[in-house]
Amino acid sequence: MTDCIFCKIAQGIIPVTFVHQDEKVVAFKDLNPQAPIHVLVVSRVHIPALTVPEASDPKVLGAIFNVIRQLAVSLRLEHGFRVVANCGPEGGQSVPHLHFHLLGGRQMNWPPG
Ligand code: DGP
């Protein structure tokens, strides 16, 4: 999608620090980190949110969660981490392209804000 920030990042048009790239998924450091490690794990295909039917594609979700699992190891998050998907306006989603936040490197609290 031409106007989507994350599509532009996945295509290399907007520069970011990638920590993973494959044919289905890219992962890069969040611009506004909320933890010592804060990575966004993003589908290459443009899916606006978890709420749309395309987001149930097991190939896409499986690829994303496999990358999350790999990153948890490579980023040495063996003591724990948090995976967050903000969804829709009340969920705090600001970029309408399917993505998961991988946060770690500090104690996480509950409830979240
Ligand atoms: P969310 O609010 O859940 O939709 O998360 C969107 C995240 O995307 C937010 O934490 C900030 C991040 N972000 C937005 N624009 C850019 C960008 O141009 N570069 C990077 N690295 N992150 C971005």
Side-chain angles (χ1 to χ4, degrees):
M1 199 182 161
T2 50
D3 273 350
C4 171
I5 295 171
F6 285 179
C7 284
K8 288 181 181 166
I9 287 173
Q11 290 161 14
I13 297 167
I14 296 175
V16 293
T17 306
F18 284 108
V19 294
H20 179 92
Q21 297 183 70
D22 65 37
E23 74 279 3
K24 285 196 174 63
V25 178
V26 296
F28 51 89
K29 292 186 179 179
D30 194 291
L31 189 63
N32 184 21
Q34 302 300 311
I37 291 172
H38 186 169
V39 167
L40 298 170
V41 185
V42 177
S43 61
R44 277 195 190 271
V45 62
H46 182 80
I47 296 173
L50 262 181
T51 46
V52 304
E54 303 93 287
S56 65
D57 183 343
K59 288 192 186 124
V60 174
L61 287 183
I64 287 175
F65 275 88
N66 193 36
V67 169
I68 289 172
R69 193 186 56 76
Q70 287 173 30
L71 287 172
V73 174
S74 63
L75 297 172
R76 312 215 40 168
L77 295 173
E78 64 269 17
H79 297 300
F81 56 88
R82 183 169 289 173
V83 177
V84 173
N86 297 322
C87 198
E90 280 199 13
Q93 183 177 7
S94 61
V95 177
H97 180 128
L98 185 66
H99 61 281
F100 292 81
H101 299 252
L102 171 61
L103 299 138
R106 67 166 168 83
Q107 179 61 52
M108 297 295 157
N109 300 310
W110 198 263

